[in-house]
Amino acid sequence: MKKYQTLLYYCYSYIAEAEQFAADHLKFCKSLGLVGRIIVADEGLNGTVSGTAEACEAYMKAVHADERFAKTEFKIDNVEELSFLKMHCRYKSEIVHSGLRDTSIIDPNKQTGKHLEPVDFMKMKDDEDVVILDVRSNYEHNLGKFKNAVTLDIENFRDFPEQINQLAQYKDKKILTYCTGGIKCEKASALLLHHGFNDVYQLHGGIIKYGKEAGGKDFEGKCYVFDNRIAVDVNEVNPTIVSVCYNCGKTTPKMINCANPECNEHITQCDECGDQLQGCCSVECTTNPRKRPYDGTGYYVKVPQPVAVKS
């Protein structure tokens, strides 16, 4: 039996005095012995936390006990080791940066794409009038994506609005959006509707839930996750590896952050190139005096920042 759990969740629900909530929530998480990363904004919560099963259960009960977050759905993974080393809880303007100058043009609490449960998504995704749209960043879909999915050349989700015009050719299709856990699709599908796409859906619970409830069929490669696991398996039905080494082109499922902190590029890299380049994406990065020691994982702990609280 695995010793720990990792919880992935989000909830769009207005939080009054969200900055103070972030500070208080950080203390609460630490009191339970949890580690992880939580973003708090006026619009809601977005988090991944890890701890013992007892601590995670206590956390979920506390979140659900707050009427603002009663609808929160947790994706639960049983893990051998904690998925983080520290606990972060920060206030930001959005729980997912939309890249919009006027964020009020969409509201996930009022209008989003139709939610598809994993089994329904699996049944619909291969229909002729359907387009599967990956709304994640390049480094994520380079590691793994749904078979035949349309991907966008974006470094961050905040670049998504600039890509809307490139999707105009699909306006007469059913658009099935997906992301890791569902949170980005809430805004992506809402934005598509705002721009005149009429038949928009989203994979409820994202890739993670799809793997748990539909066996991950036709998801090719691995799924990037935002913790020290970096990548997780999804497909138990017809798994494949689609990612290749950034340096040599060899097939590899491994993803790292460049050991040069001034680069920190997300890349897929085989073990041989990782050893040769000391966890860097290039020879040039190996010469940086701030290069971090490479332990073979390519994961580096971020230095926690204090939560800013209005006086």
Side-chain angles (χ1 to χ4, degrees):
M1 183 175 179
K2 294 185 178 179
K3 187 176 180 182
Y4 302 104
Q5 290 183 337
T6 296
L7 311 177
L8 173 68
Y9 68 97
Y10 70 89
C11 183
Y12 283 99
S13 181
Y14 176 71
I15 303 175
E17 300 182 356
E19 291 177 277
Q20 184 61 54
F21 178 91
D24 295 340
H25 201 65
L26 176 62
K27 293 178 183 177
F28 173 65
C29 290
K30 287 184 174 180
S31 75
L32 293 176
L34 294 173
V35 290
R37 184 181 300 117
I38 301 171
I39 298 172
V40 177
D42 296 352
E43 66 181 3
L45 296 174
N46 175 16
T48 307
V49 296
S50 191
T52 63
E54 293 77 15
C56 288
E57 181 64 26
Y59 181 77
M60 289 188 286
K61 283 184 178 179
V63 170
H64 284 148
D66 189 320
E67 62 181 10
R68 295 171 295 183
F69 316 126
K71 64 181 181 181
T72 304
E73 182 175 298
F74 290 91
K75 274 76 74 176
I76 305 171
D77 277 337
N78 295 310
V79 294
E80 296 286 354
E81 299 177 347
L82 292 171
S83 298
F84 296 86
L85 296 180
K86 297 179 181 295
M87 186 68 230
H88 307 255
C89 187
R90 301 189 180 98
Y91 172 81
K92 293 188 178 182
S93 59
E94 298 177 82
I95 54 176
V96 171
H97 192 346
S98 65
L100 297 170
R101 291 184 178 179
D102 180 6
T103 58
S104 67
I105 67 172
I106 59 172
D107 183 349
N109 284 310
K110 294 180 179 179
Q111 185 182 43
T112 65
K114 304 172 191 120
H115 286 63
L116 285 175
E117 294 303 320
V119 172
D120 296 320
F121 180 93
M122 181 173 62
K123 292 177 181 178
M124 186 185 287
K125 67 181 179 61
D126 295 323
D127 291 350
E128 289 186 6
D129 62 342
V130 162
V131 170
I132 307 171
L133 178 62
D134 192 320
V135 303
R136 301 172 302 153
S137 305
N138 290 334
Y139 63 88
E140 296 175 86
H141 60 67
N142 284 342
L143 183 65
K145 65 182 181 65
F146 277 103
K147 181 180 179 181
N148 299 323
V150 171
T151 58
L152 301 173
D153 183 13
I154 56 177
E155 294 299 319
N156 295 284
F157 181 68
R158 61 177 174 266
D159 300 324
F160 179 79
E162 299 175 358
Q163 301 285 325
I164 293 289
N165 289 338
Q166 296 188 29
L167 299 172
Q169 60 185 304
Y170 304 123
K171 278 197 172 182
D172 62 341
K173 301 281 189 179
K174 293 177 181 176
I175 308 296
L176 273 57
T177 66
Y178 74 88
C179 60
T180 307
I183 187 170
K184 292 177 180 177
C185 287
E186 301 281 9
K187 290 191 174 182
S189 65
L191 196 58
L192 288 168
L193 290 167
H194 175 77
H195 281 274
F197 292 78
N198 296 316
D199 213 357
V200 182
Y201 301 78
Q202 64 188 80
L203 174 56
H204 183 212
I207 299 164
I208 300 301
K209 186 175 181 181
Y210 182 84
K212 293 179 181 299
E213 297 187 6
K217 181 182 178 183
D218 291 336
F219 185 84
E220 300 178 328
K222 289 178 173 276
C223 179
Y224 181 89
V225 290
F226 298 85
D227 57 61
N228 64 5
R229 293 174 296 170
I230 302 179
V232 297
D233 292 320
V234 172
N235 193 333
E236 298 177 353
V237 180
N238 53 349
T240 58
I241 298 173
V242 296
S243 50
V244 298
C245 178
Y246 175 85
N247 302 104
C248 72
K250 176 183 175 181
T251 300
T252 179
K254 185 176 181 180
M255 174 164 273
I256 69 164
N257 285 103
C258 178
N260 173 7
E262 295 174 14
C263 172
N264 207 44
E265 186 77 18
H266 292 289
I267 62 167
T268 45
Q269 186 180 69
C270 68
D271 287 328
E272 291 82 359
C273 288
D275 292 338
Q276 183 179 355
L277 293 169
Q278 304 164 55
C280 292
C281 67
S282 65
V283 173
E284 181 182 5
C285 280
T286 66
T287 65
N288 189 289
R290 295 182 58 218
K291 185 181 73 65
R292 298 169 290 201
Y294 177 60
D295 65 1
T297 66
Y299 174 81
Y300 305 98
V301 178
K302 293 183 178 180
V303 178
Q305 300 296 317
V307 176
V309 181
K310 289 181 179 178
S311 57

